[in-house]
Amino acid sequence: MSVQEIAEKIKSRVASSGFDRSVKFDTGSDGVIVIDGATVSNTDAPTDCTIKLSLDDLDSLIAGDLNPTMAFMTGKIKVEGDMTVAMALSQLIG
């Protein structure tokens, strides 16, 4: 699945969620997904929190096949910035 396809899946989940922070999924050379409140884009921008992971792991995370806590603890996900934002987001996408 491409970054754009994953962004579309995320968009439907955050649109009515009341999520009011900003977070970036950074998949390296595959691109970024930036969530800023209810807006989702593939344009890089500064955010409250950056989550670095592979495109495959992001796909698994969004599909519910990858536990965000376990992924963090095993090093598949690296979080920079405000960890509480990542935790709030995991409730929406997990």
Side-chain angles (χ1 to χ4, degrees):
M1 190 172 293
S2 73
V3 169
Q4 289 79 14
E5 291 170 316
I6 294 172
E8 286 302 315
K9 280 188 167 187
I10 293 172
K11 197 176 288 188
S12 64
R13 297 183 191 185
V14 298
S16 60
S17 67
F19 187 72
D20 63 352
R21 304 294 299 274
S22 62
V23 66
K24 174 176 22 183
F25 288 105
D26 182 349
T27 62
S29 62
D30 289 312
V32 298
I33 298 173
V34 174
I35 303 169
D36 191 354
T39 305
V40 179
S41 77
N42 295 109
T43 304
D44 200 356
T47 56
D48 297 324
C49 177
T50 299
I51 300 171
K52 294 184 176 187
L53 71 172
S54 72
L55 184 59
D56 285 343
D57 286 341
L58 178 57
D59 190 16
S60 296
L61 185 71
I62 300 304
D65 297 331
L66 181 64
N67 178 298
T69 304
M70 288 304 296
F72 177 75
M73 290 171 49
T74 58
K76 288 186 173 192
I77 293 177
K78 292 179 177 46
V79 179
E80 298 173 358
D82 190 341
M83 181 70 88
T84 61
V85 176
M87 292 173 18
L89 184 66
S90 74
Q91 301 301 311
L92 298 177
I93 63 171

